[in-house]
Amino acid sequence: MSNIGSYDDRLKDFSWSIAENELGYKPGDTINIGWYCTDRICQLGKADKTALIWEGRDEATTRKYTFNDLRILSNTFGSFLSSLGINNGDRVCLFMDKAPELYIGFLGILKIGAVAQPLFSAFGDESLFVRLENAGTKAVITSRKHAPKVQKILDKLPNLEHIIVVDDEGKKALKPKEIAFSLDQATPVENFEVYPTTAESHSLLHYTSGTTGQPKGVKHVHSSLISQYLTTKWVLDLQEDDIYWCTADPGWVTGTSYGIIGPWSLGVTQCVKDSGFSAEVWYRFIEKHKISMWYSAPTAIRSLMKAGNEVVKQFDLTSLRHLASVGEPLNAEAVVWSERIIGKPFHDTYWQTETGSMMITNFPGMKIRPGSMGKAFPGLTPALLDPDTFEPITEISKPGLIAFRYDWPARMRTYWNNQQTFDKKFKNGWYITGDRSTIDKDGYFWFIGRDDDVINTGGHLISPFEVESALLEHEAVAESAVVSKPDEINMEVVKAFVTLKPGFDPSQELELEIMNFIRKKLSPFAMPQEIEYMDLLPKTRSGKIMRRVLHAKEWGEEIGDISTLEND
Ligand code: PRX
C-alpha cells in the first residue's frame, strides 16, 4: 500500500494540517528545518538509524552517519559558524562537491538561523561572483579544490568575511580570509540551542536563471518543510525501511528539497554518491546499497538508455521499488524503457526552484500515461491560462500557461532584492510558472515548452543573456546571440552565434578557445556546444538581436513574422 493511498480520496480530504499534525507543528510554533531533520528524528527513537550512506568517487571509500551523528555534527558545524560571528539571517554559501560536510554544513547553517546558499561546485568564477555579490554572502564553505575560485574574486566581494575550508586540516598554507574547519577534529557539540526560527524565517537562497538580467535569488522559508515533507511522503512514497537515492546535487533545488529536507524529515536512510554519471557506477551503487527509491532526471535516464540494455543485465536491481524523475521533459520512450528493462516505470514530477516542492506528479498507484507529467498535488489550485487574457482556459487539450493560486507552504517568498521581478510572475491572482502545457480530459498535464528563451540543458537552466554577456568579454567577439539546439541526450544544448572583431578570423581553434573561456567563466553546461561565425546577426530595426530567427533555424521551425528584421 502506498503512503498516499487513493489520490482521489486525498483530493477530497486534503489539508496541509495533515503534514503539520504529523510533524507535531502548530502554526505559530518555532519551526527549524535543521532541527526537524536531526534532533526530532532522534527524539522519535531513531537516533541510531542510518541517515546517510556516503560513497566517494573511489567506490571503496564509504562513510555512514546515524541520525544522532547528523544531530551532533550539525550542532558542531553550527556552533563553529556562530563562533565566527555568523548570525541569523546571514547568508552562508556552500560551494563544494557532494562531501558529507556539504550536507552537515547545510543543516548547521539552518540550525543557527542563517541562510543556506548552495551553489553548484562546477560554477566558474564569474557565475560564482554574481551570485555571491547579489546575496551579500558573509561566508563560503568550500573545499581545497574549489577555494581558488573564491580567492580569484575575493577583492570584489566586500561582504565576504570567511572562506571556510573543510578538508584542509591545517596542512596547507591558508590564503586570505581562509579558515580551516575539520568535522573530524572539532570537539563534538552534544547540546546546542537551535535558533528559534518561525514559519516565515528565511532558510534558503537558491539561484535560478531567467531570459534577461542576472540570476535571481529565490527566497525560501522554514515552513517550506510542510510541503516538502508531505510531497516526499506521498509522491516519492518513502517508507520506514527504504534506502533512498536522489541523484541531484544540493546546488540545485531538487538536491535540497528532496536530497536533504524531505527524506531526513521523514527519518529515511539516504545514499549519496559523489561522482558524475556512469551507467556501470550508478547501477553498481544501486545494487551495492540495495536502493529501493530512486529520484533522478531525464538526461540521466536517456544516458542509461544509451549505455544499452546489456549493462543493466549485469546488475541486480531488484531492490528498486519506486522510481521518479524531475527537471525536464521525460519522454514517453524513457518511461516505457525503464518499465521494460529495469522493471519499474519512472514517475515524472514537475516543479520549479520557485515552487520549492512538487506541483504536478505521477503518484504511486496512479496509471501513468507515458509522456505526461501527471496530475496536480492535492491542495493546489492549478489552471492553464490564456496567454493574452490570463484567464483560465476551460477547453480540454487547449495549450495554455501553467499557473497556480499562490498558497502552498513551500512557495518562494520573493526574489532576493528583486521584488519587481517577483511581482511580474503574477497575473489576476495567479502565479505564472512560465511553462506551457495542455490538460487532457482526465486532468493529466502534458508539457509543451517554456514560454521564454531560457535553455534547459540536461535539467540545468541557462540564461542566454548570461552566456551572451560572457561571450562579449572574449577579446575576439564583437556580437553574440545564444539559442538552444536539439540534442539527443540533453534535449537541448547551448549554441552561440558570434561576429568577430576586426583582426580576428574564424577558425576551429578560436571556436575551442571561446568554448573553454565560457566553461571556465560560467560552467561546463553553459558552454556552447557549437559556435557559428556570422558576418551579421539578425536584428530588428531598433537593433535588438532576433534570437527567434536563429532558434527557428536550429529547430527547423517556421521563422514567423520577420517584418521588423533589419538585415534581411
Ligand atoms: O521548464 C520547467 C522544467 O524546469 C523548470 C524548472 O527548473 P528549475 O527551477 O531549475 O527546477 C528544476 C527542478 C525542480 C520548469 O519551469 N521542468 C521541471 N520539471 C519538468 C520540467 N519540464 C518538463 N517536465 C518536467 N517534469
Side-chain angles (χ1 to χ4, degrees):
M1 176 71 168
S2 67
N3 286 333
I4 189 174
S6 149
Y7 172 72
D8 291 328
D9 287 349
R10 294 296 81 75
L11 279 183
K12 282 184 222 133
D13 59 19
F14 187 81
S15 156
W16 288 111
S17 63
I18 297 173
E20 291 170 0
N21 293 339
E22 290 186 15
L23 287 164
Y25 165 76
K26 282 196 294 311
D29 285 357
T30 57
I31 177 168
N32 184 292
I33 291 172
W35 182 84
Y36 266 99
C37 290
T38 58
D39 299 58
R40 178 169 184 268
I41 305 301
C42 295
Q43 284 180 9
L44 293 175
K46 295 199 245 179
D48 296 330
K49 181 174 175 180
T50 303
L52 172 64
I53 301 170
W54 176 83
E55 189 178 287
R57 271 154 212 263
D58 145 27
E59 292 171 47
T61 314
T62 54
R63 295 180 86 166
K64 279 191 182 181
Y65 299 83
T66 63
F67 278 98
N68 198 39
D69 294 335
L70 277 194
R71 183 184 69 78
I72 294 173
L73 291 170
S74 56
N75 288 348
T76 312
F77 216 128
S79 41
F80 170 71
L81 295 172
S82 295
S83 75
L84 294 179
I86 294 165
N87 296 314
N88 65 302
D90 287 340
R91 276 77 60 210
V92 181
C93 170
L94 293 145
F95 184 59
M96 57 195 293
D97 297 341
K98 288 196 253 178
E101 287 84 353
L102 172 57
Y103 295 79
I104 293 164
F106 178 87
L107 297 171
I109 293 169
L110 296 181
K111 278 188 166 182
I112 64 164
V115 177
Q117 183 195 7
L119 292 177
F120 193 37
S121 60
F123 274 145
D125 53 283
E126 179 68 22
S127 294
L128 184 63
F129 169 68
V130 294
R131 289 160 178 81
L132 294 181
E133 186 193 41
N134 183 268
T137 310
K138 192 160 177 181
V140 178
I141 301 173
T142 188
S143 57
R144 212 4 97 217
K145 179 175 155 197
H146 297 290
K149 286 191 265 186
V150 191
Q151 281 298 337
K152 205 168 162 193
I153 53 176
L154 192 55
D155 290 347
K156 298 190 285 177
L157 294 168
N159 292 315
L160 188 61
E161 293 178 14
H162 307 286
I163 303 170
I164 299 156
V165 187
V166 297
D167 57 354
D168 188 281
E169 290 166 8
K171 284 188 215 114
K172 301 253 168 59
L174 293 168
K175 304 253 170 26
K177 297 201 176 173
E178 286 185 359
I179 177 161
F181 175 67
S182 158
L183 268 178
D184 294 337
Q185 290 170 8
T187 311
V189 177
E190 180 68 38
N191 296 310
F192 184 74
E193 206 165 317
V194 174
Y195 190 85
T197 44
T198 52
E200 295 301 307
S201 303
H202 191 175
S203 56
L204 260 94
L205 199 54
H206 266 300
Y207 275 78
T208 186
S209 295
T211 308
T212 55
Q214 294 294 359
K216 297 163 286 180
V218 176
K219 176 180 173 179
H220 285 297
V221 297
H222 278 268
S223 52
S224 70
L225 170 70
I226 295 162
S227 301
Q228 289 150 349
Y229 169 87
L230 201 61
T231 47
T232 306
K233 184 165 177 186
W234 285 3
V235 181
L236 300 182
D237 199 39
L238 287 188
Q239 300 180 9
E240 187 56 39
D241 295 330
D242 270 322
I243 308 284
Y244 169 63
W245 184 29
C246 169
T247 58
D249 187 289
W252 311 109
V253 72
T254 308
T256 55
S257 291
Y258 298 103
I260 300 181
I261 305 170
W264 282 342
S265 65
L266 279 150
V268 167
T269 305
Q270 69 161 328
C271 297
V272 168
K273 173 80 191 155
D274 181 19
S275 79
F277 176 81
S278 147
E280 281 89 355
V281 171
W282 278 32
Y283 290 138
R284 191 157 42 244
F285 190 63
I286 294 171
E287 179 183 74
K288 181 169 157 193
H289 301 288
K290 299 196 170 40
I291 286 160
S292 54
M293 199 299 148
W294 183 18
Y295 195 27
S296 197
T299 290
I301 301 163
R302 287 188 289 268
S303 304
L304 292 173
M305 286 170 76
K306 195 167 177 215
N309 301 343
E310 285 310 305
V311 198
V312 187
K313 290 185 197 145
Q314 293 163 24
F315 299 90
D316 177 4
L317 305 181
T318 50
S319 58
L320 288 171
R321 180 176 72 75
H322 188 53
L323 319 178
S325 151
V326 66
E328 21 156 4
L330 180 64
N331 41 323
E333 300 77 28
V335 178
V336 174
W337 173 83
S338 76
E339 179 144 41
R340 196 163 55 85
I341 303 301
I342 299 182
K344 297 275 182 301
F346 272 94
H347 290 63
D348 194 12
T349 66
Y350 164 91
W351 55 291
Q352 306 178 300
T353 307
E354 286 88 342
T355 68
S357 61
M358 297 171 186
M359 304 301 279
I360 300 170
T361 83
N362 287 278
F363 296 87
M366 189 172 101
K367 177 136 186 53
I368 294 182
R369 297 191 175 164
S372 154
M373 302 192 293
K375 298 188 183 188
F377 192 79
L380 300 175
T381 312
L384 288 191
L385 301 186
D386 181 294
D388 298 319
T389 62
F390 298 107
E391 292 296 336
I393 293 170
T394 45
E395 244 172 278
I396 299 294
S397 297
K398 186 168 175 209
L401 301 173
I402 306 176
F404 296 91
R405 288 293 182 210
Y406 212 54
D407 56 5
W408 67 98
R411 66 195 187 279
M412 78 165 150
R413 294 312 195 260
T414 188
Y415 288 121
W416 184 252
N417 285 338
N418 198 349
Q419 182 69 22
Q420 214 182 358
T421 305
F422 175 77
D423 292 340
K424 283 195 197 136
K425 300 285 289 186
F426 297 86
K427 290 277 183 322
N428 297 338
W430 294 99
Y431 165 73
I432 317 272
T433 59
D435 290 309
R436 284 176 291 122
S437 165
T438 56
I439 306 181
D440 67 20
K441 66 177 180 20
D442 300 312
Y444 285 79
F445 285 74
W446 297 79
F447 187 79
I448 299 175
R450 290 185 62 93
D451 201 40
D452 58 18
D453 290 343
V454 169
I455 300 166
N456 186 339
T457 178
H460 299 290
L461 300 189
I462 303 295
S463 153
F465 167 80
E466 256 187 289
V467 184
E468 285 165 1
S469 309
L471 282 164
L472 295 182
E473 287 179 41
H474 189 276
E475 54 169 6
V477 177
E479 288 180 308
S480 64
V482 164
V483 297
S484 63
K485 70 168 199 174
D487 183 79
E488 193 195 343
I489 299 291
N490 294 287
M491 286 302 254
E492 51 186 26
V493 290
V494 177
K495 171 161 181 183
F497 293 83
V498 298
T499 62
L500 296 179
K501 286 186 185 156
F504 290 93
D505 294 318
S507 71
Q508 205 182 2
E509 208 184 345
L510 181 60
E511 181 182 0
L512 291 178
E513 189 194 305
I514 298 174
M515 284 175 173
N516 207 24
F517 178 77
I518 300 297
R519 184 179 63 78
K520 279 207 182 133
K521 214 173 183 38
L522 297 181
S523 66
F525 38 90
M527 181 183 87
Q529 301 295 308
E530 184 188 344
I531 295 178
E532 190 170 325
Y533 299 108
M534 308 273 278
D535 294 329
L536 279 177
L537 291 177
K539 284 192 204 148
T540 61
R541 289 202 186 98
S542 60
K544 206 167 155 234
I545 292 168
M546 285 183 103
R547 283 196 201 115
R548 183 163 61 83
V549 173
L550 299 167
H551 184 273
K553 176 169 129 20
E554 290 309 309
W555 291 82
E557 292 164 355
E558 289 280 316
I559 292 181
D561 178 17
I562 50 166
S563 55
T564 54
L565 202 61
E566 181 197 61
N567 44 14
D568 49 352

